[in-house]
Short mmCIF file of all heavy atoms in Angstrom, two decimals:
data_model
loop_
_atom_site.label_atom_id
_atom_site.label_comp_id
_atom_site.label_asym_id
_atom_site.label_seq_id
_atom_site.Cartn_x
_atom_site.Cartn_y
_atom_site.Cartn_z
N ILE A 35 -10.96 -4.85 -2.40
CA ILE A 35 -12.18 -4.17 -2.81
C ILE A 35 -13.10 -5.14 -3.53
O ILE A 35 -12.64 -5.95 -4.37
CB ILE A 35 -11.84 -2.99 -3.73
CG1 ILE A 35 -10.92 -2.00 -3.03
CG2 ILE A 35 -13.10 -2.30 -4.24
CD1 ILE A 35 -11.44 -1.39 -1.76
N ASP A 36 -14.39 -5.14 -3.23
CA ASP A 36 -15.31 -6.05 -3.89
C ASP A 36 -15.60 -5.67 -5.33
O ASP A 36 -15.22 -4.56 -5.77
CB ASP A 36 -16.63 -6.23 -3.08
CG ASP A 36 -17.51 -4.98 -3.03
OD1 ASP A 36 -17.44 -4.12 -3.96
OD2 ASP A 36 -18.28 -4.86 -2.07
N ASP A 37 -16.25 -6.55 -6.07
CA ASP A 37 -16.45 -6.37 -7.52
C ASP A 37 -17.24 -5.10 -7.84
O ASP A 37 -16.91 -4.38 -8.79
CB ASP A 37 -17.16 -7.59 -8.12
CG ASP A 37 -16.28 -8.80 -8.13
OD1 ASP A 37 -15.04 -8.68 -8.00
OD2 ASP A 37 -16.85 -9.91 -8.29
N ARG A 38 -18.26 -4.82 -7.05
CA ARG A 38 -19.09 -3.64 -7.34
C ARG A 38 -18.31 -2.35 -7.19
O ARG A 38 -18.33 -1.47 -8.05
CB ARG A 38 -20.32 -3.63 -6.40
CG ARG A 38 -21.17 -2.39 -6.60
CD ARG A 38 -22.40 -2.40 -5.72
NE ARG A 38 -23.08 -1.11 -5.82
CZ ARG A 38 -23.01 -0.16 -4.89
NH1 ARG A 38 -22.35 -0.34 -3.79
NH2 ARG A 38 -23.65 0.98 -5.08
N ALA A 39 -17.59 -2.22 -6.05
CA ALA A 39 -16.82 -0.98 -5.82
C ALA A 39 -15.67 -0.90 -6.82
O ALA A 39 -15.32 0.21 -7.29
CB ALA A 39 -16.31 -0.96 -4.39
N ALA A 40 -15.05 -2.03 -7.17
CA ALA A 40 -13.95 -2.03 -8.12
C ALA A 40 -14.45 -1.54 -9.49
O ALA A 40 -13.79 -0.74 -10.13
CB ALA A 40 -13.35 -3.45 -8.23
N ALA A 41 -15.59 -2.04 -9.90
CA ALA A 41 -16.16 -1.63 -11.19
C ALA A 41 -16.49 -0.14 -11.19
O ALA A 41 -16.23 0.57 -12.18
CB ALA A 41 -17.41 -2.43 -11.50
N ASP A 42 -17.01 0.37 -10.08
CA ASP A 42 -17.32 1.79 -9.98
C ASP A 42 -16.04 2.63 -10.10
O ASP A 42 -16.01 3.59 -10.86
CB ASP A 42 -18.03 2.06 -8.66
CG ASP A 42 -18.76 3.40 -8.65
OD1 ASP A 42 -18.86 4.03 -9.70
OD2 ASP A 42 -19.26 3.79 -7.59
N LEU A 43 -14.98 2.22 -9.40
CA LEU A 43 -13.72 2.95 -9.48
C LEU A 43 -13.16 2.93 -10.89
O LEU A 43 -12.70 3.95 -11.42
CB LEU A 43 -12.70 2.37 -8.50
CG LEU A 43 -11.36 3.07 -8.48
CD1 LEU A 43 -11.47 4.51 -8.01
CD2 LEU A 43 -10.38 2.30 -7.56
N ARG A 44 -13.18 1.77 -11.51
CA ARG A 44 -12.66 1.66 -12.90
C ARG A 44 -13.44 2.57 -13.87
O ARG A 44 -12.85 3.08 -14.83
CB ARG A 44 -12.78 0.23 -13.39
CG ARG A 44 -11.80 -0.70 -12.73
CD ARG A 44 -11.95 -2.13 -13.32
NE ARG A 44 -11.14 -3.07 -12.58
CZ ARG A 44 -11.62 -4.03 -11.79
NH1 ARG A 44 -12.94 -4.22 -11.69
NH2 ARG A 44 -10.81 -4.84 -11.14
N ASP A 45 -14.73 2.77 -13.62
CA ASP A 45 -15.57 3.57 -14.51
C ASP A 45 -15.49 5.05 -14.27
O ASP A 45 -16.02 5.83 -15.03
CB ASP A 45 -17.03 3.10 -14.39
CG ASP A 45 -17.27 1.72 -14.96
OD1 ASP A 45 -16.44 1.23 -15.75
OD2 ASP A 45 -18.34 1.14 -14.64
N CYS A 46 -14.84 5.44 -13.17
CA CYS A 46 -14.77 6.87 -12.82
C CYS A 46 -13.81 7.61 -13.73
O CYS A 46 -12.83 7.05 -14.23
CB CYS A 46 -14.22 7.03 -11.41
SG CYS A 46 -15.37 6.60 -10.12
N PRO A 47 -14.07 8.91 -13.93
CA PRO A 47 -13.09 9.74 -14.61
C PRO A 47 -11.77 9.74 -13.86
O PRO A 47 -11.75 9.55 -12.63
CB PRO A 47 -13.72 11.14 -14.59
CG PRO A 47 -15.16 10.93 -14.28
CD PRO A 47 -15.26 9.66 -13.53
N ILE A 48 -10.70 10.00 -14.57
CA ILE A 48 -9.33 9.95 -13.96
C ILE A 48 -9.25 10.84 -12.72
O ILE A 48 -8.66 10.47 -11.71
CB ILE A 48 -8.26 10.32 -14.99
CG1 ILE A 48 -8.17 9.18 -15.99
CG2 ILE A 48 -6.94 10.59 -14.35
CD1 ILE A 48 -7.34 9.49 -17.21
N GLU A 49 -9.83 12.04 -12.75
CA GLU A 49 -9.72 12.98 -11.62
C GLU A 49 -10.42 12.38 -10.37
O GLU A 49 -9.92 12.53 -9.27
CB GLU A 49 -10.28 14.32 -11.96
CG GLU A 49 -10.22 15.34 -10.84
CD GLU A 49 -8.83 15.66 -10.33
OE1 GLU A 49 -7.82 15.37 -11.02
OE2 GLU A 49 -8.73 16.20 -9.23
N VAL A 50 -11.52 11.70 -10.57
CA VAL A 50 -12.22 11.09 -9.44
C VAL A 50 -11.34 9.95 -8.90
O VAL A 50 -11.19 9.78 -7.67
CB VAL A 50 -13.61 10.58 -9.85
CG1 VAL A 50 -14.24 9.72 -8.73
CG2 VAL A 50 -14.52 11.72 -10.20
N GLN A 51 -10.78 9.13 -9.78
CA GLN A 51 -9.88 8.07 -9.34
C GLN A 51 -8.71 8.63 -8.55
O GLN A 51 -8.36 8.12 -7.48
CB GLN A 51 -9.34 7.28 -10.55
CG GLN A 51 -10.36 6.46 -11.28
CD GLN A 51 -9.81 5.83 -12.53
OE1 GLN A 51 -8.77 6.18 -13.03
NE2 GLN A 51 -10.55 4.83 -13.03
N ARG A 52 -8.11 9.68 -9.08
CA ARG A 52 -6.95 10.28 -8.43
C ARG A 52 -7.29 10.75 -7.02
O ARG A 52 -6.55 10.48 -6.05
CB ARG A 52 -6.42 11.46 -9.25
CG ARG A 52 -5.09 12.03 -8.72
CD ARG A 52 -4.64 13.25 -9.47
NE ARG A 52 -5.55 14.37 -9.29
CZ ARG A 52 -5.60 15.13 -8.20
NH1 ARG A 52 -4.80 14.87 -7.18
NH2 ARG A 52 -6.45 16.13 -8.10
N ARG A 53 -8.42 11.43 -6.88
CA ARG A 53 -8.80 11.90 -5.55
C ARG A 53 -9.11 10.76 -4.59
O ARG A 53 -8.74 10.82 -3.43
CB ARG A 53 -10.06 12.81 -5.67
CG ARG A 53 -9.76 14.14 -6.27
CD ARG A 53 -11.04 14.96 -6.54
NE ARG A 53 -10.74 16.19 -7.18
CZ ARG A 53 -11.01 17.38 -6.68
NH1 ARG A 53 -11.61 17.49 -5.52
NH2 ARG A 53 -10.71 18.47 -7.34
N ALA A 54 -9.74 9.71 -5.07
CA ALA A 54 -10.06 8.58 -4.19
C ALA A 54 -8.79 7.86 -3.75
O ALA A 54 -8.63 7.54 -2.56
CB ALA A 54 -10.98 7.58 -4.92
N LEU A 55 -7.86 7.63 -4.65
CA LEU A 55 -6.61 6.95 -4.29
C LEU A 55 -5.68 7.81 -3.48
O LEU A 55 -4.95 7.32 -2.62
CB LEU A 55 -5.93 6.46 -5.55
CG LEU A 55 -6.33 5.06 -6.07
CD1 LEU A 55 -7.77 5.00 -6.45
CD2 LEU A 55 -5.42 4.60 -7.19
N ALA A 56 -5.71 9.12 -3.71
CA ALA A 56 -4.82 10.03 -3.02
C ALA A 56 -5.08 10.07 -1.51
O ALA A 56 -4.21 10.47 -0.75
CB ALA A 56 -4.92 11.45 -3.60
N ARG A 57 -6.23 9.64 -1.10
CA ARG A 57 -6.58 9.61 0.34
C ARG A 57 -5.94 8.46 1.07
O ARG A 57 -6.08 8.34 2.28
CB ARG A 57 -8.10 9.65 0.50
CG ARG A 57 -8.68 11.00 0.09
CD ARG A 57 -10.17 11.08 0.11
NE ARG A 57 -10.75 10.82 1.44
CZ ARG A 57 -12.05 10.79 1.68
NH1 ARG A 57 -12.91 11.03 0.68
NH2 ARG A 57 -12.50 10.55 2.86
N GLY A 58 -5.18 7.63 0.36
CA GLY A 58 -4.45 6.56 1.00
C GLY A 58 -5.17 5.24 1.00
O GLY A 58 -6.24 5.09 0.46
#
Side-chain angles (χ1 to χ4, degrees):
I35 302 301
D36 68 26
D37 291 342
R38 177 178 173 257
D42 198 8
L43 181 62
R44 288 181 188 112
D45 291 341
C46 286
I48 290 169
E49 179 62 17
V50 172
Q51 292 175 343
R52 187 184 66 77
R53 287 174 184 241
L55 272 62
R57 290 175 60 182

